Amino acid sequence: MDRSATTPTLLADLGGTNVRFALADTRAAAPLLLDSVRRYRVKDFDTLADTIGQYFADTGHTASHAIIAAAGRIANGETVQITNNPWAVSAHGLEAEIGFERVRLVNDFAAQGMSIPLLQKDQLQPVGRVLAPEHDGKSSQSFVVMGPGTGLGVAGLLLRFGHWIVLETEGGHAGFAAHTAEDVEILHRLNARFGRVSNERMICGNGLVNLYLALADINGQQAQEYTPEDITARATDGSDALCVRTVETLAGIFGSVAGDLVLSLGGWDGVYLTGGVLKILMPWLQSGGFRERFEAKGRFRDTMEHVPTIAITHPEPGLLGAAALAVLESGRTLAR
């Protein structure tokens, strides 16, 4: 869509717990206006339109176009029922209610993936010994983008001779594949609680609690009524061995699922890790079983040893990726 970028584009990154807003200047080399970022709790508002109205009132900003990155499957490019969140969002409904000329809905991890062309090297941190790939724009590369927050997001990202293409998926809801004897025991307990067990049941904030309860039962220990924050805090200070084991177990399963996604999506050029829980998990990803289980893919081990896993450290990758999409929608090309 070619249009003159005379006004900024509203950006939203909508998850299960929070919604973040910002503005994009599609004419700028750094299109995301970081000083415009605001965060709101989903539970404090009835609808996304109400929250947008609050953002405009709080900041004095306005916009005629919007890109909404939402945690859920976008149906026909028009509607989304947010996963882990009671809101349903309609692009045309927002256009009518707010008065936007155009609203585009994208999956939140599609936006996370589109942040990658705009990221600087100091906003990327290798997990393991394999360094981040270079994007020369002259070759064909394929990546996985994934990470834990309120849920588990997954996307594919393709670089095809200078053109970035994002593949929207709901891979976090794929069924969990047990790889170790302990995995099998965990699966049995979660299956008794939930029926079908997806990867998201373990690799997310509440997944820490699910794993903690399963491991307590496996080891015959009395479980405490811990929140995800309780578990990570006690793991960090070493005050509770079961909490330490819980976070280590999540890191290992995370690595196993990340490796499976490389095989499934052909992401041989790297896995970009992101999500709201990632920062808390980083010490265990670096020192625990993440890379070992990532690489442990049988006949593909030699190949997997050379696939980089890279953590995105930018504070707002979802909004940055939405800004990249706004640039492309304005008829311009990305600077990198």
Side-chain angles (χ1 to χ4, degrees):
M1 181 181 65
D2 294 326
R3 63 179 175 85
S4 175
T6 55
T7 61
T9 299
L10 176 70
L11 312 173
D13 183 7
L14 172 56
T17 305
N18 300 301
V19 57
R20 293 171 173 83
F21 295 109
L23 298 175
D25 181 351
T26 59
R27 299 163 295 181
L32 175 60
L33 304 178
L34 283 172
D35 61 356
S36 69
V37 176
R38 300 288 188 280
R39 184 185 74 169
Y40 299 87
R41 300 278 289 183
V42 166
K43 68 179 183 179
D44 294 336
F45 297 87
D46 291 332
T47 67
L48 178 59
D50 291 341
T51 323
I52 293 172
Q54 188 65 57
Y55 174 74
F56 285 158
D58 289 345
T59 63
H61 296 313
T62 187
S64 60
H65 294 72
I67 293 183
I68 312 295
R73 178 180 174 271
I74 311 301
N76 302 315
E78 162 59 20
T79 60
V80 57
Q81 174 63 57
I82 311 303
T83 308
N84 302 311
N85 172 325
W87 290 354
V89 178
S90 160
H92 288 317
L94 283 176
E95 288 168 358
E97 190 166 354
I98 305 295
F100 289 122
E101 292 179 25
R102 173 172 164 79
V103 173
R104 178 180 175 185
L105 298 179
V106 297
N107 177 265
D108 61 332
F109 264 74
Q112 298 263 359
M114 283 304 300
S115 74
I116 290 164
L118 296 181
L119 290 169
Q120 305 299 315
K121 288 185 178 181
D122 63 359
Q123 296 166 337
L124 298 168
Q125 180 180 352
V127 177
R129 63 190 180 277
V130 185
L131 297 179
E134 296 290 336
H135 306 143
D136 59 19
K138 298 178 182 177
S139 60
S140 175
Q141 295 177 306
S142 300
F143 305 95
V144 173
V145 184
M146 68 175 300
T150 304
L152 174 64
V154 176
L157 184 68
L158 311 178
L159 178 59
R160 294 295 184 264
F161 308 103
H163 297 282
W164 292 93
I165 305 163
V166 68
L167 175 64
E168 301 185 31
T169 88
E170 289 296 333
H173 296 279
F176 171 59
H179 291 272
T180 69
E182 184 178 70
D183 284 356
V184 172
E185 293 299 320
I186 291 169
L187 178 59
H188 284 164
R189 284 155 178 83
L190 295 188
N191 181 258
R193 286 182 62 194
F194 300 113
R196 179 182 182 273
V197 179
S198 69
N199 293 322
E200 184 173 274
R201 290 294 187 187
M202 286 156 285
I203 310 173
C204 68
N206 285 333
L208 281 163
V209 177
N210 294 336
L211 284 173
Y212 171 80
L213 295 173
L215 290 169
D217 190 56
I218 290 167
N219 290 284
Q221 295 182 232
Q222 179 65 44
Q224 305 300 314
E225 293 186 4
Y226 286 158
T227 66
E229 293 78 13
D230 293 333
I231 293 168
T232 55
R234 286 165 172 76
T236 299
D237 64 22
S239 62
D240 188 318
L242 185 59
C243 290
V244 172
R245 181 60 190 145
T246 297
V247 184
E248 289 175 341
T249 300
L250 189 152
I253 291 172
F254 190 3
S256 186
V257 172
D260 286 346
L261 285 166
V262 170
L263 300 178
S264 299
L265 296 176
W268 308 113
D269 295 293
V271 179
Y272 286 95
L273 306 173
T274 183
V277 182
L278 184 67
K279 184 177 180 180
I280 298 170
L281 295 177
M282 279 298 290
W284 285 273
L285 299 185
Q286 294 286 17
S287 63
F290 176 86
R291 275 299 305 195
E292 168 54 31
R293 289 193 57 166
F294 177 82
E295 296 170 5
K297 298 302 175 188
R299 288 170 285 180
F300 277 87
R301 175 181 280 276
D302 289 347
T303 300
M304 296 298 292
E305 288 176 351
H306 295 91
V307 177
T309 45
I310 313 104
I312 296 173
T313 61
H314 188 283
E316 299 291 351
L319 293 174
L320 183 65
L325 291 168
V327 171
L328 296 176
E329 283 218 339
S330 73
R332 292 169 171 79
T333 59
L334 297 175
R336 296 183 59 201

